């Protein structure tokens, strides 16, 4: 008798436990609880047919998401699925402000209202030009009290509001070819350098944390020749695989083909390569891409990223 009534009770308890476990509700995926991890929140580009969120990455340290790089469309939802806590973030780093790298910033900031975050959040990104606002201008265009599209959130920029955290934009000069300091935390150092992404001011980022070096190419075509220096000795390089070999015209002016990725990774002495910002013109050509990267000198581990994948450097 006890047996028969006990079994459904145990089953219900097990189901309750499974439903409670973090991540299961949204079919998410968490990285390891110790060490450094890069989690891909968005492995796609701007297409709405690639079944991927647009560009975004988290850097996890001992179970806490400390940095978020870019915030393309869909990345806020994948932030939820990752189980990350917005209060843990020390800084947001942007490569540039194309839609597929920045559109979810407003989604994140609104969502932050419902978190426990109290400390200010620095946001680093490039300077502007005639086509793009600088980082300060981008934030003002979204949240500025005067004319910002989402000016109802302008208190996040208001220094007179001590009851809420503030978003603190910092501009990195994308007109210079020098490596420049970005966010500096107690145990995190970040640096950025300008990369060529057609006419758009754009940065690649280097993150040094817990003895590991992580580098994010962002969108770039390789013409400035700045990435090998920034990526020197990197444990992990996330490179954007937006165009196939033989791309021409606008696509080649914006993005690097596999041969360029291979040469940069080899020259920099990168120890692990992850390819992201995958688009329909490169999806399905992974064997060819891998072959070209090898042929151009990179021999280390190479992976193609999918949304929510975790990589240990
Ligand atoms: Zn892009």
């Amino acid at each position: 008798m006890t047996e028969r009534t006990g079994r459904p009770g145990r089953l219900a308890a097990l189901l309750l436990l499974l439903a409670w476990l973090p991540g299961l509700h949204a079919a998410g995926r968490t990285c390891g609880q110790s060490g450094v991890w890069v989690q891909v929140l968005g492995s796609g580009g701007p297409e709405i047919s690639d079944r991927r969120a647009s560009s975004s990455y988290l850097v996890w340290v001992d179970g806490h998401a400390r940095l978020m790089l870019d915030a393309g469309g869909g990345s806020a939802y994948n932030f939820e699925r990752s189980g990350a806590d917005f209060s843990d973030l020390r800084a947001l780093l942007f490569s540039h402000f194309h839609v597929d790298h920045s559109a979810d910033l407003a989604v994140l900031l609104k969502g932050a209202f419902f978190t426990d975050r109290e400390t200010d959040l620095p946001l680093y990104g490039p300077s502007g030009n005639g086509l793009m606002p600088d980082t300060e201008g981008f934030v003002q265009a979204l949240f500025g009290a005067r004319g910002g599209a989402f000016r109802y959130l302008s208190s996040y920029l208001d220094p007179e509001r001590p009851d809420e955290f503030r978003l603190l934009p910092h501009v990195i000069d994308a007109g210079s070819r020098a490596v420049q300091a970005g966010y500096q935390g107690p145990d995190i150092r970040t640096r950025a350098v300008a990369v060529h992404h057609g006419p758009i001011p754009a940065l690649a980022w280097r993150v040094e944390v817990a003895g590991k070096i992580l580098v994010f190419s962002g969108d770039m075509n390789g013409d400035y020749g700045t990435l090998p220096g920034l990526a020197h000795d990197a444990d992990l390089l996330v490179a954007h695989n937006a165009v196939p070999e033989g791309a021409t015209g606008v696509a080649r002016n914006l993005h690097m083909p596999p041969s360029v990725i291979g040469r940069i990774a080899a020259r920099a002495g990168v120890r692990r390569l992850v390819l992201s910002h995958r688009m329909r013109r490169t999806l399905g050509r992974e064997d060819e891409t891998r072959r070209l990267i090898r042929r151009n000198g990179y021999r280390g581990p190479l992976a193609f990223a999918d949304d929510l994948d975790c990589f240990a450097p």
Side-chain angles (χ1 to χ4, degrees):
M1 191 68 189
T2 316
E3 278 280 317
R4 280 202 300 266
T5 52
R7 217 166 257 162
R10 279 201 294 274
L11 183 64
L14 180 66
L15 287 173
L16 264 174
L17 178 69
L18 286 174
W20 172 82
L21 282 172
L24 278 181
H25 285 299
R29 177 164 173 194
T30 22
C31 302
Q33 283 301 300
S34 64
V36 175
W37 295 84
V38 170
Q39 185 166 30
V40 179
L41 295 186
S43 62
E47 291 161 316
I48 47 174
S49 51
D50 59 4
R51 298 175 180 234
R52 293 160 189 274
S54 299
S55 198
S56 183
Y57 308 97
L58 285 179
V59 175
W60 289 85
V61 186
D62 294 336
H64 299 276
R66 294 305 190 192
L67 296 173
M68 183 166 174
L69 293 99
D70 284 350
S75 61
Y77 176 54
N78 280 340
F79 185 94
E80 294 182 28
R81 297 172 78 202
S82 77
D85 182 342
F86 195 79
S87 304
D88 283 342
L89 286 176
R90 300 260 178 83
L92 305 176
L93 311 178
F94 281 87
S95 64
H96 64 296
F97 294 114
H98 269 154
V99 165
D100 58 317
H101 296 255
S102 66
D104 267 10
L105 175 60
V107 180
L108 283 166
L109 193 66
K110 178 64 243 184
F113 174 80
F114 302 94
T115 72
D116 298 328
R117 186 174 193 97
E118 289 179 348
T119 49
D120 291 343
L121 183 61
L123 181 159
Y124 290 79
S127 53
N129 64 11
L131 291 171
M132 282 280 163
D134 69 9
T135 301
E136 168 80 34
F138 181 75
V139 166
Q140 287 292 337
L142 287 176
F143 309 118
R146 285 180 205 164
F150 303 114
R151 51 189 176 269
Y152 79 105
L153 300 176
S154 63
S155 61
Y156 289 106
L157 304 180
D158 184 355
E160 305 303 319
R161 289 287 300 271
D163 51 324
E164 284 174 351
F165 78 88
R166 286 168 306 160
L167 202 56
L168 304 176
H170 297 267
V171 178
I172 306 267
D173 183 6
S176 159
R177 303 290 163 86
V179 174
Q180 296 158 73
Y183 170 76
Q184 310 293 310
D187 44 13
I188 300 176
R189 282 186 353 132
T190 73
R191 285 184 274 173
V193 74
V195 287
H196 187 281
H197 184 41
I200 303 302
L203 304 171
W205 282 96
R206 177 183 177 104
V207 175
E208 297 177 12
V209 58
K212 300 293 183 186
I213 300 168
L214 318 169
V215 176
F216 300 84
S217 76
D219 288 359
M220 52 165 276
N221 82 344
D223 279 6
Y224 288 172
T226 46
L227 187 58
L230 188 79
H232 176 69
D233 219 17
D235 294 290
L236 177 68
L237 170 63
V238 179
H240 283 185
N241 181 213
V243 296
E245 204 66 26
T248 56
V250 173
R252 181 63 184 85
N253 191 38
L254 293 170
H255 297 291
M256 53 186 168
S259 59
V260 174
I261 297 175
R263 281 199 290 277
I264 290 171
R267 212 177 123 202
V270 165
R271 281 186 279 280
R272 184 167 192 192
L273 183 58
V274 171
L275 299 183
S276 188
H277 202 290
R278 304 169 68 191
M279 296 181 65
R280 292 183 66 182
R281 52 203 180 193
T282 52
L283 288 164
R285 297 177 72 162
E286 288 76 12
D287 287 347
E288 171 197 312
T289 298
R290 189 180 287 108
R291 211 165 38 242
L292 283 158
I293 286 175
R294 299 270 183 245
R295 195 183 296 162
N296 282 276
Y298 174 73
R299 309 252 178 267
L302 186 166
F304 291 88
D306 291 317
D307 286 10
L308 296 177
D309 276 357
C310 293
F311 297 96

